[in-house]
Amino acid sequence: MESPFRPDILKGKVALLTGGGSGIGYEISRQLGKHGAFIAIMGRRKNVLDSAVSSLRSFGISAIGLEGDVRKRDDAVRVLESTIKHLGRLDILVNAAAGNFLVPAEDLSPNGFRTVMDIDSVGTFTMCHEALKYLKKGGPGKGPSSGGLIINISATLHYTATWYQIHVSAAKAAVDSITRSLALEWGTDYDIRVNGIAPGPIEDTAGVSKLVSEVRSNAEEQEPLFKFGEKWDIAMAALYLASDAGKYINGTTMVVDGGLWLSKPRHLPKEAVKQLSRAVERRSRDAPVGVPKSKL
Ligand code: COA
């Protein structure tokens, strides 16, 4: 799909994306690049990075790949330094690296829980923390009153509770909290906007292939708003937040899921409600609940 945004809205900006070599992170990289940004992607697997970089370049995007694991502070420091060395500045940090697997809570070891917290929550904080000196107003390539921005990729799992994902729900709840706290502190002190995006189920991603059961019996009945989104949908939200269109948005996590998290099974058919509601009104007018018959 074509982007509704002008192709130069991020001209001259530099973006670093963790997990930018595949899935949602890759599509955000591609769209930020197609709208003028220079792209650095960080990931653990060299082969994934290499093929993502050559694919980005085939779209005419200036891109580099930097190997690193967000769980290692030294990697974060080194990748940020390389970004500045190669691209001269940092305007946009997207934290898209994440870990996930389905497991009943009783079968999840504390180390399994910690692993996902380390990637999603601690990793996000580490990247933000080490990027601060480059993103803040007055940082490399920045004026005295214009800072950069951060986008943290989150989820909606923790808004209620999600089966077999206690670790990820906890980790994403922490990510949302980090988004709000940094928006407050760094928005005030350094002119950095910090926002999040909470995607619903997105086609062709590791998240969906790992987590959405192949047998989705009665899915529409259980979750009437269930439908797959595209990576493009998430990338457009990122573009909006990263562009000047989002200049007054700080500390929010934008849900991009077609309303899915609000889904509830329909407990009555619509026709039944149409017929019932009038009848119920009439009945309660004729015999109000709680008013003794003698008073009518
Ligand atoms: N069920 C239960 N426990 C699991 C598990 C599963 N499916 N997969 C991993 N674990 C546990 C391991 O048993 C281990 O705990 P233990 O030491 O107590 O046995 C712990 O998690 C760490 O596993 P390990 O395989 O060593 O971690 P890793 O660093 O190699 O991999 C993961 C991290 C597990 C998150 C892996 O799935 C990953 O790399 N994911 C990245 C990609 C991804 O998930 N993308 C989807 C984004 S939505």
Side-chain angles (χ1 to χ4, degrees):
M1 268 180 85
E2 281 302 305
S3 161
F5 296 99
R6 264 196 354 241
D8 63 347
I9 54 172
L10 298 178
K11 195 169 169 210
K13 305 277 186 197
V14 171
L16 169 64
L17 299 97
T18 71
S22 61
I24 288 172
Y26 170 76
E27 181 61 9
I28 299 175
S29 306
R30 198 171 75 92
Q31 292 295 346
L32 296 186
K34 282 180 80 175
H35 290 78
F38 298 100
I39 303 297
I41 55 177
M42 173 180 180
R44 284 181 298 167
R45 292 166 295 171
K46 186 168 180 331
N47 59 330
V48 173
L49 285 178
D50 287 347
S51 83
V53 166
S54 66
S55 167
L56 289 170
R57 288 180 181 161
S58 74
F59 290 101
I61 296 164
S62 296
I64 56 171
L66 300 165
E67 257 183 277
D69 186 334
V70 296
R71 288 172 285 188
K72 297 179 184 154
R73 189 176 179 187
D74 289 350
D75 284 12
V77 170
R78 180 179 43 75
V79 163
L80 281 153
E81 281 172 359
S82 296
T83 304
I84 300 299
K85 187 172 144 221
H86 288 98
L87 304 174
R89 54 190 287 158
L90 178 66
D91 302 285
I92 303 163
L93 170 66
V94 179
N95 288 300
N100 206 343
F101 48 84
L102 285 180
V103 60
E106 69 219 42
D107 295 335
L108 176 64
S109 70
N111 192 43
F113 185 92
R114 186 183 302 113
T115 298
V116 171
M117 293 296 288
D118 274 349
I119 300 171
D120 294 24
S121 319
V122 185
T124 291
F125 178 72
T126 303
M127 291 303 300
C128 293
H129 189 263
E130 302 309 326
L132 172 62
K133 65 181 173 193
Y134 306 117
L135 286 173
K136 67 183 181 183
K137 63 184 177 189
K142 311 243 174 0
S145 60
S146 58
L149 67 111
I150 297 172
I151 297 173
N152 295 326
I153 304 302
S154 184
T156 58
L157 307 172
H158 51 293
Y159 293 178
T160 51
T162 300
W163 286 98
Y164 311 132
Q165 291 191 72
I166 188 172
H167 46 332
V168 189
S169 298
K172 294 301 193 185
V175 167
D176 288 357
S177 186
I178 289 168
T179 296
R180 287 191 293 270
S181 296
L182 292 185
L184 174 66
E185 292 194 32
W186 293 0
T188 307
D189 293 341
Y190 303 119
D191 195 46
I192 295 172
R193 289 190 293 116
V194 187
N195 291 297
I197 299 173
I202 302 296
E203 280 172 336
D204 298 329
T205 57
V208 158
S209 60
K210 273 186 167 186
L211 307 177
V212 178
S213 149
E214 280 167 28
V215 191
R216 288 195 54 87
S217 56
N218 302 326
E220 284 74 23
E221 267 170 51
Q222 297 302 316
E223 299 175 313
L225 287 167
F226 189 98
K227 66 178 176 208
F228 286 110
E230 297 170 27
K231 287 176 266 194
W232 184 90
D233 296 308
I234 308 306
M236 290 301 118
L239 265 180
Y240 170 65
L241 290 172
S243 72
D244 287 344
K247 70 181 171 51
Y248 197 44
I249 302 175
N250 190 23
T252 197
T253 293
M254 188 187 284
V255 179
V256 184
D257 75 341
L260 176 62
W261 82 275
L262 300 167
S263 264
K264 286 192 176 136
R266 201 192 285 261
H267 63 290
L268 278 177
K270 201 188 288 181
E271 282 314 310
V273 174
K274 286 181 182 180
Q275 284 166 14
L276 264 174
S277 71
R278 296 275 174 207
V280 170
E281 285 304 312
R282 264 197 308 277
R283 241 191 350 251
S284 65
R285 243 194 333 265
D286 295 347
V289 177
V291 179
K293 283 248 162 56
S294 57
K295 304 266 179 201
L296 288 172

